[in-house]
Amino acid sequence: MSEDAQDAAPATILVIEDNATNRYVLTSWLTWTPSSHLAAATKYTVHAVAKDSGGREAAEESAFTTLTPKNTFVGIYTPEDGSKVGVGMPFSVRFTRGITHPDDVEKAIRIKTEPAVDVEGHWFGNDRLDFRPEEYWAAGTKVTVTLDLDGVEGRPGVYGKQAKTVKFTIGRSQVSTVDVKTHKMTVKRDGKVLKTIPVTTGKPGYDTWNGKMVISERLKVTRMNGETVGYGGEYDIKDVPHAQRLTNSGTFIHGNYWGGDAFGNYNASHGCIGLRDVRGGYDGKVAAAWFFDNSMTGDVVVVKNSHDKTVDPANGYNGWNMSWSDWTK
């Protein structure tokens, strides 16, 4: 089109309304692009008003319905709506289909916090997206997440079908530091030392990961089998008490009733962090029971001075081991 033709084109205001009375106001010369994606399987009414240089107006009205997709995806997220979590818990979404249009999907997930803090997303592969601030959440922060995925094309021909609001609250700040050399864990609540606990960690050849790890699952009792983590038949303990998961690969901080005098003295585990306990976990005064009762999902456990490397940020909710610059790339 020539420059003269562009100048002669009438200024146009386009208003689109869906059948839920949401309004999308768009301005352009000859074409219109919505400021946000349109929902799938939704009827929209178009009101177009054109005005020429002489002030004369013309109006047109039409309607269209967006497609009903055959292939869809949703995001399975944590934490749950209405939950209270520790300061290390990211908002994590796992998608039911691999995403090849990550920018469109990420843009459709909006996060608001009180008090306000910058929250950024990071993709782990093509099916997981985690959001976190630069530092641990401030205690008491209220987080509202809007999942506006309905109609978003996540990959060619595959559209989101999810529109949901999720709210959660950050609880008190608890960060526990395990020193592999001293065989002790220092538990800090809101910056103050709450308790120091003797522990045992991974023995040589089975060293515990270094780094910042987030409690992602809490189990009063669970079975731990070496075959599930690649250790063959080295152990099969059917009643491990007070177990709290730190990695997807099988690192826990848990009660240990078989460790003898290892706690505070030497490292004897296959990579987990063990705290003194009793079989059946019935004694609420032992270290493992106390720590379990005083922990929540999202609390942070930091391991230092191990001979192993730092835990992979994708292994659990452990993105805190990435620098902010790497996280936001």
Side-chain angles (χ1 to χ4, degrees), residues 60-102:
E60 291 289 342
E61 182 172 307
S62 65
F64 65 91
T65 300
T66 52
L67 64 82
T68 300
K70 294 181 180 179
N71 298 301
T72 60
F73 72 90
V74 298
I76 300 169
Y77 57 84
T78 190
E80 294 293 328
D81 184 40
S83 59
K84 180 180 285 189
V85 295
V87 296
M89 177 59 71
F91 184 76
S92 181
V93 189
R94 284 194 175 274
F95 299 100
T96 53
R97 297 289 297 271
I99 301 300
T100 60
H101 299 163

Side-chain angles (χ1 to χ4, degrees), residues 240-251:
V240 179
H242 298 120
Q244 302 185 85
R245 181 182 292 275
L246 300 177
T247 70
N248 295 339
S249 62
T251 307

Side-chain angles (χ1 to χ4, degrees), residues 121-276:
H122 183 86
W123 287 87
F124 293 104
N126 67 356
D127 63 353
R128 174 181 164 190
L129 175 59
D130 285 10
F131 293 87
R132 69 166 178 90
E134 182 173 4
E135 305 294 339
Y136 298 140
W137 301 98
T141 299
K142 297 180 180 179
V143 185
T144 301
V145 183
T146 302
L147 292 162
D148 187 18
L149 295 169
D150 186 11
V152 174
E153 191 172 23
R155 58 184 301 127
V158 182
Y159 295 84
K161 63 172 185 177
Q162 192 172 25
K164 190 171 182 64
T165 299
V166 181
K167 296 183 179 183
F168 61 95
T169 304
I170 307 301
R172 78 291 177 275
S173 171
Q174 184 163 298
V175 179
S176 304
T177 301
V178 175
D179 190 328
V180 171
K181 285 187 177 179
T182 64
H183 317 293
K184 292 180 180 179
M185 178 172 69
T186 302
V187 182
K188 284 188 176 182
R189 173 82 56 85
D190 297 322
K192 298 180 180 180
V193 175
L194 199 61
K195 199 176 186 69
T196 300
I197 301 173
V199 300
T200 184
T201 64
K203 60 188 176 183
Y206 299 90
D207 300 273
T208 305
W209 304 110
N210 279 302
K212 303 168 184 177
M213 290 175 266
V214 174
I215 295 175
S216 59
E217 183 181 19
R218 304 179 70 242
L219 303 165
K220 277 281 191 179
V221 62
T222 190
R223 178 180 181 179
M224 292 188 178
N225 188 326
E227 292 183 354
T228 64
V229 291
Y231 291 156
E234 291 193 35
Y235 61 88
D236 185 4
I237 306 169
K238 300 178 181 179
D239 57 353
V240 179
H242 298 120
Q244 302 185 85
R245 181 182 292 275
L246 300 177
T247 70
N248 295 339
S249 62
T251 307
F252 282 78
I253 182 165
H254 63 78
N256 179 325
Y257 61 80
W258 57 89
D261 61 352
F263 310 101
N265 296 311
Y266 59 90
N267 295 318
S269 82
H270 286 79
C272 290
I273 302 163
L275 288 68
R276 188 182 301 278

Side-chain angles (χ1 to χ4, degrees), residues 117-120 132-136 320 322 324-325:
V117 64
D118 183 27
V119 179
E120 298 289 342
R132 69 166 178 90
E134 182 173 4
E135 305 294 339
Y136 298 140
W320 302 103
M322 298 177 67
W324 188 239
S325 60

